[in-house]
Amino acid sequence: MRWTPGDRSNIEDMRGRSGGMAMGAGGLGVGGLLLLLVLSWATGIDLTSIAGGGSSAPPPEAVGTSGKVAATPDEERRVDMVDAVMDDAQDTWKQLLGGRYQETKAVLFRDSINSACGFAQSATGPFYCPADRKVYLDLGFFDEMHRKLGAPGDFAQAYVLAHELGHHVQTITGTESQVRQRQASSPASRNALSVRMELQADCYAGVWGYHANKGGSRVQLDPDDTEEALTAAAAIGDDRLQRMQTGRVAPERFTHGTSQQRVEWFTRGMRSGDPNVCNTFQ
Ligand SMILES: [Zn+2]
């Protein structure tokens, strides 16, 4: 994937600021909490005891610190990539939704952040917060994707961003609130509805991929890029994560869909470029 650096107007840079402690996170991730469990499994450290534990305070000197951050050239390059992908994907949705589309930003953070959806840590993975309509991302997640989940490549990273932006589209179009209502009135269908939401976000990510492939404004795809995204989609299927975590698969606990489903829905969007093919609720 190639991209053109820009003015970073699609970024809200909170890397120099540390969030305080609060409980609970209610965002929509790309496979977040399960990933947390996988990382715990992979690292041998119980990360779940850290997330939302609330007992340990952040280092006092870090609270409220803002402004400049020490970052490697590699990390700065990633910031430009996130900006370019967000810009290109939002352009695509502006074309597809017209005046209904509302612009958003990717909030970059390190270690932890207090979002409108609650306290979140890097280990929970990237997520979209419907309450403030922003995408949240710790750039370190991309290293985890590569090293722990075997999904390298910048288009794999772009897929994750486009997936979160897919949740933004669901929020704008009212799908998100409809699903929340249905989940509240029918708790038994909670996970099944979550899977449909997540697969639709995968399909929407593919829709952007189609338009980027046609020669988007700031992002251009290379021939191998689709493969990178498919590898990433397969890497974060519920069945694979569960198998990595416990060696067993429990379909009733799926929240994001199987590897095969995630690949299928991304591919469907990527082939047609039409969000109407993304009706996972039918
Ligand atoms: Zn998601």
Side-chain angles (χ1 to χ4, degrees), residues 28-31 163-164 167 197-198 201 256 262:
L28 297 156
V30 74
H163 170 100
E164 301 307 341
H167 287 311
M197 281 271 279
E198 296 298 333
H256 287 69
R262 300 196 74 162

Side-chain angles (χ1 to χ4, degrees), residues 47-278:
L47 296 163
T48 54
S49 67
I50 302 166
S55 55
S56 58
E61 69 272 18
V63 176
T65 313
S66 61
K68 290 216 173 291
V69 289
T72 62
D74 206 43
E75 183 174 332
E76 288 308 304
R77 195 167 165 273
R78 279 182 176 174
V79 176
D80 285 328
M81 185 275 287
V82 171
D83 180 55
V85 168
M86 288 291 289
D87 192 36
D88 200 283
Q90 294 203 86
D91 269 354
T92 297
W93 285 106
K94 270 178 231 166
Q95 286 169 32
L96 292 169
L97 297 180
R100 288 164 75 199
Y101 188 75
Q102 296 161 15
E103 290 204 42
T104 183
K105 287 181 194 290
V107 182
L108 300 183
F109 69 96
R110 278 183 184 163
D111 304 326
S112 68
I113 192 156
N114 244 330
S115 76
C117 291
F119 177 74
Q121 287 200 309
S122 305
T124 50
F127 64 98
Y128 175 76
C129 173
D132 62 8
R133 304 193 168 193
K134 288 175 187 169
V135 172
Y136 286 83
L137 170 73
D138 183 325
L139 293 167
F141 176 76
F142 294 147
D143 294 323
E144 306 295 319
M145 261 176 74
H146 185 175
R147 287 185 290 123
K148 306 238 165 69
L149 297 172
D154 41 21
F155 190 61
Q157 298 163 8
Y159 150 71
V160 167
L161 283 166
H163 170 100
E164 301 307 341
L165 199 66
H167 287 311
H168 181 58
V169 170
Q170 290 172 323
T171 300
I172 291 171
T173 55
T175 304
E176 191 264 343
S177 64
Q178 284 167 22
V179 169
R180 297 272 161 212
Q181 280 169 21
R182 283 171 66 186
Q183 285 177 323
S185 62
S186 169
S189 65
R190 191 175 178 83
N191 284 1
L193 284 166
S194 167
V195 167
R196 287 167 188 264
M197 281 271 279
E198 296 298 333
L199 293 176
Q200 186 175 62
D202 283 335
C203 185
Y204 284 167
V207 166
W208 168 68
Y210 170 90
H211 291 276
N213 207 19
K214 278 198 318 189
S217 46
R218 280 179 58 190
V219 175
Q220 285 181 303
L221 301 194
D222 295 323
D224 295 340
D225 279 342
T226 308
E227 203 55 45
E228 278 181 17
L230 294 178
T231 300
I236 52 182
D238 285 326
D239 51 342
R240 178 176 189 249
L241 293 179
Q242 285 183 354
R243 205 173 282 119
M244 282 176 80
Q245 179 201 337
T246 64
R248 284 176 293 113
V249 177
E252 71 280 1
R253 299 220 315 269
F254 286 177
T255 53
H256 287 69
T258 63
S259 296
Q260 192 191 349
Q261 285 175 317
R262 300 196 74 162
V263 165
E264 270 175 23
W265 282 98
F266 175 84
T267 303
R268 200 182 283 219
M270 181 101 190
R271 284 211 179 116
S272 79
D274 178 4
N276 293 314
V277 305
C278 300

Side-chain angles (χ1 to χ4, degrees), residues 10 18 59 152 184-185:
N10 296 270
S18 169
S185 62

